[in-house]
Amino acid sequence: MKIGFVGAGGMAKALAGKWTGKHDVMLSGRTPDKTRVAANSIGALAGTASEAVAFADVVVLATRWEDVFEAIEAAGGSAAFDGKIVVDINNPVSIETFLTTREDNRSLTQAIADALPGAHVGKAFNMAQVAVWEDPSKTYDGRKMVTLYTADAGANEAIAELIADVGAEPLLLGGNEHAYQLEAAAAIVIKFLFAGADPQTIFNFIRPETKPVR
Ligand SMILES: NC(=O)c1ccc[n+]([C@@H]2O[C@H](COP(=O)([O-])OP(=O)(O)OC[C@H]3O[C@@H](n4cnc5c(N)ncnc54)[C@H](OP(=O)(O)O)[C@@H]3O)[C@@H](O)[C@H]2O)c1
């Protein structure tokens, strides 16, 4: 796959660093020098947001959550995303209240899908910290880490593959109508992280045994 990141910060580097061996990856941040340094450190290309989106089959939105819609505009606006798979990794969570910031009882993911009607959208990678994504093992207590995600039908397969390619096991929660649940769950994770918990112990879903999920 060709994967373009809008963002070149901690999450972009952690995820992209797992994919450069198998996929073609381009990072884009606002600051070209920082973007180049980040991209060089993991063997990715560096570009602008619009170059990264034009390059990509799969776009990962990896700015701070507050910047997502501005970044979409900087990347060329809605039309630039037509036909692309878009992965939302963002947590719209206040670090003062540790509550989600959406006021419409819907998720940021759904708002992104509404803004990008020509794209296939899903949410993944939001429930663990950079340190966990950088961890080469993804195996805890002898079992593989499970990564919950949501996706529309057009994004499902690619996101499952990308989760497997970071070394975790994909578990589909459902369509993007479930994304608010991932955002609220991340608020719990963030609250405990800020209280000093070990990032590898919070909500690390592991499969105790293989059973069909109903
Ligand atoms: N950090 C975590 O552990 C973690 C875990 C799960 C999910 N998340 C979510 O992942 C997202 C990214 O977090 P992060 O920690 O990676 O953030 P970060 O380190 O602050 O990086 C944000 C990146 O976005 C870039 N950016 C901002 N506006 C942009 C625009 N208009 N066009 C292109 N790039 C733009 C910044 O570029 P400049 O530096 O040049 O301004 C920077 O490279 C957040 O929404 C967060 O909720 C984070």
Side-chain angles (χ1 to χ4, degrees):
M1 286 184 237
K2 289 188 167 180
I3 305 167
F5 280 79
V6 181
M11 281 295 280
K13 259 180 71 179
L15 294 174
K18 297 285 185 239
W19 293 331
T20 45
K22 181 174 175 192
H23 304 286
D24 296 324
V25 183
M26 184 184 291
L27 303 190
S28 70
R30 276 180 297 208
T31 321
D33 284 352
K34 264 166 70 181
T35 302
R36 240 186 327 272
V37 169
N40 285 346
S41 74
I42 53 166
L45 300 167
T48 63
S50 54
E51 285 167 347
V53 171
F55 163 86
D57 311 310
V58 177
V59 179
V60 181
L61 296 176
T63 64
R64 295 183 320 149
W65 64 267
E66 296 95 325
D67 297 328
V68 165
F69 293 103
E70 189 190 304
I72 285 172
E73 284 312 307
S78 175
F81 292 78
D82 285 353
K84 314 275 180 186
I85 292 167
V86 173
V87 187
D88 168 29
I89 68 166
N90 303 282
N91 286 319
V93 172
S94 161
I95 54 167
E96 283 159 19
T97 62
F98 300 107
L99 298 169
T100 61
T101 57
R102 302 295 305 173
E103 289 172 356
D104 55 2
N105 290 323
R106 297 176 85 238
S107 57
L108 176 62
T109 310
Q110 287 170 298
I112 290 168
D114 289 349
L116 306 177
H120 306 291
V121 177
K123 186 172 207 94
F125 306 109
N126 72 310
M127 279 181 45
Q129 209 197 13
V130 165
V132 176
W133 299 119
E134 284 176 337
D135 181 348
S137 84
K138 300 286 183 305
T139 301
Y140 304 101
D141 291 339
R143 295 166 186 155
K144 195 164 264 201
M145 175 180 159
V146 170
T147 293
L148 287 168
Y149 70 106
T150 67
D152 66 29
N156 184 10
E157 206 174 303
I159 293 177
E161 184 179 337
L162 290 174
I163 291 170
D165 289 343
V166 299
E169 185 173 323
L171 180 58
L172 180 67
L173 177 61
N176 290 323
E177 66 276 16
H178 288 277
Y180 81 96
Q181 294 170 312
L182 294 185
E183 293 174 5
I188 300 173
V189 173
I190 292 165
K191 182 168 186 182
F192 285 112
L193 284 174
F194 272 71
D198 176 345
Q200 307 202 344
T201 63
I202 311 163
F203 270 174
N204 271 338
F205 291 95
I206 49 175
R207 271 217 204 278
E209 57 188 290
T210 306
K211 273 189 194 162
V213 176
R214 286 171 200 281

